[in-house]
Amino acid sequence: MNHKALHNCSYGLYVISSRKGDRLNGQIANTVVQVASDPPTIAVSINKQNLTHEFISESKVFTASILSQDTPLSFIGHFGFKSGREVDKFKDVNYRLGDNKAPIVLDHSLAYLEAKVINQVDVGTHTVFIGELVGAEVLTEGEPMTYAYYHQVKRGTTPKTAPSYIKERKETISKMTKYECTVCGYIYDPELGDADGGIKPGTPFEDLPDDWVCPICGASKDQFEKAKE
C-alpha cells in the first residue's frame, strides 16, 4: 500500500475548541468536513489521547475556527504542539465564548463554526465527532490555510497524534546542512532561512542567534540535531 496516495486528499487547517466546566482547551486539526446540509452538519476527527477529545466527550460541544493563510507558524505550534494539560492555551489569545459556551478563536481566523455533538464514531486511535451547527459567522475576508500550503510553503510539520500523520524518511538534498527539531520535527533549511523569525535565506544553523527558537513549537537551538540523510 502506498500511503503517499493520501497526500492528494485536500484538507484545511482549524483550531478545534471545547470546554469542560469552566476549563477551555483547543487544538489544531485538519480533518473538518461538512457531511450534510439540512440540518447543516460537520464532522471532525480527534485523537483519543488529546485533552480536547476529553472535553468534547464530556460537554458534547465544539467550535472550529478556520485559520487564514498568513497564520504564523508559532500560533499553529501553540495549539498544535503544546498540551492543554501543561499550559493554558487561551491565556494570551483573543477569543470569545460562543452560544454553546465553547471558545471561538479570533486571532488569525476567517470564520468559525459552532456545533453540538449528535453522534460519534470510534475509528481506532481517533473518534469522529459529528456535530449539528448551532452557529456560524464570517469574521474577515481572506484566503483560508490549506494543509498543502502549511506543508509546502510554511514548511510546517504534522503531530504524531494527527489522523493524517504518516511516518516517512526525510530527504536532505540541500548542500547546506539541515537541522531537525527533536520536539516537533520541524526542519531548518539554511537555504530557505526562517522568514517568520527574520532569518535570511543562506544563514547556516550555526550562525542563528542564540535566542532563536523553533518557529513551530518554540524549542531552543540545543534541541535541534543534524537531519539524517
Side-chain angles (χ1 to χ4, degrees):
M1 182 185 302
N2 187 351
H3 286 167
K4 288 186 176 180
L6 293 169
H7 292 175
N8 291 299
C9 292
S10 179
Y11 303 96
L13 209 63
Y14 316 86
V15 178
I16 304 301
S17 306
S18 189
R19 61 177 170 83
K20 183 179 180 182
D22 294 331
R23 296 177 61 195
L24 307 176
N25 195 60
Q27 67 163 78
I28 293 294
N30 67 326
T31 49
V32 175
V33 60
Q34 181 177 351
V35 295
S37 59
D38 188 16
T41 306
I42 61 175
V44 61
S45 181
I46 303 292
N47 191 285
K48 294 176 181 177
Q49 298 178 14
N50 292 355
L51 187 62
T52 304
H53 184 283
E54 177 184 325
F55 281 25
I56 298 176
S57 295
E58 179 163 316
S59 67
K60 303 301 181 184
V61 297
F62 66 89
T63 63
S65 300
I66 303 170
L67 296 180
S68 65
Q69 195 175 81
D70 58 1
T71 302
L73 280 178
S74 57
F75 186 84
I76 297 172
H78 174 74
F79 279 99
F81 289 92
K82 296 184 185 298
S83 172
R85 296 182 176 91
E86 301 172 357
V87 300
D88 179 359
K89 293 189 180 182
F90 286 91
K91 182 179 179 181
D92 298 313
V93 172
N94 290 316
Y95 72 95
R96 68 177 176 84
L97 298 181
D99 292 337
N100 61 12
K101 304 304 180 184
I104 297 166
V105 175
L106 302 178
D107 292 330
H108 311 294
S109 295
L110 299 179
Y112 68 86
L113 309 171
E114 294 185 77
K116 62 177 181 179
V117 176
I118 58 175
N119 204 345
Q120 60 189 67
V121 181
D122 187 321
V123 288
T125 56
H126 290 65
T127 297
V128 176
F129 293 101
I130 302 171
E132 181 180 331
L133 289 191
V134 297
E137 292 293 342
V138 174
L139 299 174
T140 186
E141 297 298 324
E143 289 293 325
M145 175 84 75
T146 65
Y147 210 50
Y149 188 90
Y150 169 66
H151 275 288
Q152 297 168 12
V153 180
K154 304 287 282 188
R155 296 185 293 120
T157 56
T158 303
K160 293 181 179 180
T161 56
S164 56
Y165 174 78
I166 299 174
K167 185 177 181 180
E168 59 182 33
R169 182 178 64 87
K170 293 187 173 61
E171 299 180 359
T172 304
I173 58 177
S174 172
K175 293 181 180 180
M176 301 180 75
T177 303
K178 297 180 181 180
Y179 281 75
E180 179 178 358
C181 176
T182 58
V183 177
C184 72
Y186 170 80
I187 299 292
Y188 174 74
D189 185 344
E191 291 190 351
L192 299 176
D194 170 22
D196 286 351
I199 305 300
K200 297 180 179 179
T203 304
F205 183 81
E206 295 78 6
D207 292 345
L208 293 175
D210 291 338
D211 60 354
W212 180 84
V213 296
C214 175
I216 294 182
C217 70
S220 57
K221 280 183 65 177
D222 60 5
Q223 292 177 284
F224 278 71
E225 59 184 23
K226 289 184 178 180
K228 296 179 181 179
E229 295 281 346

